[in-house]
Amino acid sequence: QVQLGESGGGLVQPGGSMRLACVVSGRTFSSNAVGWFRQAPGKEREFVAAISWNYKTDYLDSAKGRFTISRDNAKNTVYLQMNGLKPEDTAVYYCALRAAAWLATGTYDYDYWGQGTQVTVSL
């Protein structure tokens, strides 16, 4: 059974940094793409970042230059380093695993989801 577990969320001040981690269990994921999504209250879940099996990456426009996605296949873990956080980044952040190798940006492209971790950017 494939499970994804996110960690690293919490409260941070504007301009601060935070690193989220997502551990995948139940299978190795070196051949799979992994993505991060977020959902703010009253809004649809949106794509934030993704990384393919061969380390190609893609980002939400507002995340480019501030967020970095990375993966450690030996640890079955994907990270999302977030710098220069803004109040509008406040949301529940989810990691998701594709059965396919290439990255994608649609929620429907991903097959497995974590439970999410809350990120709040506020004074």
Side-chain angles (χ1 to χ4, degrees):
Q1 181 181 358
V2 178
Q3 291 186 320
L4 286 73
E6 302 96 336
S7 63
L11 175 65
V12 64
Q13 293 186 352
S17 297
M18 184 175 285
R19 188 176 81 156
L20 305 181
C22 173
V23 178
V24 179
S25 60
R27 64 177 289 169
T28 57
F29 79 149
S30 59
S31 299
N32 303 94
V34 184
W36 284 97
F37 292 76
R38 67 186 182 189
Q39 188 166 19
K43 295 187 177 181
E44 293 188 352
R45 192 169 298 188
E46 68 174 351
F47 167 78
V48 176
I51 187 165
S52 69
W53 72 279
N54 59 350
Y55 300 91
K56 292 188 182 296
T57 59
D58 195 11
Y59 296 92
L60 177 70
D61 282 348
S62 64
K64 291 178 181 177
R66 299 190 299 129
F67 293 6
T68 302
I69 188 171
S70 61
R71 64 191 298 161
D72 184 338
N73 290 340
K75 295 181 179 180
N76 254 33
T77 301
V78 176
Y79 302 97
L80 184 68
Q81 177 67 44
M82 304 185 292
N83 301 325
L85 283 161
K86 305 174 182 180
E88 51 264 43
D89 294 317
T90 295
V92 177
Y93 283 70
Y94 299 88
C95 69
L97 178 72
R98 288 197 81 194
W102 303 105
L103 59 82
T105 62
T107 56
Y108 45 83
D109 292 315
Y110 289 79
D111 302 279
Y112 305 97
W113 291 82
Q115 293 298 308
T117 184
Q118 176 70 47
V119 172
T120 303
V121 184
S122 179
L123 291 172

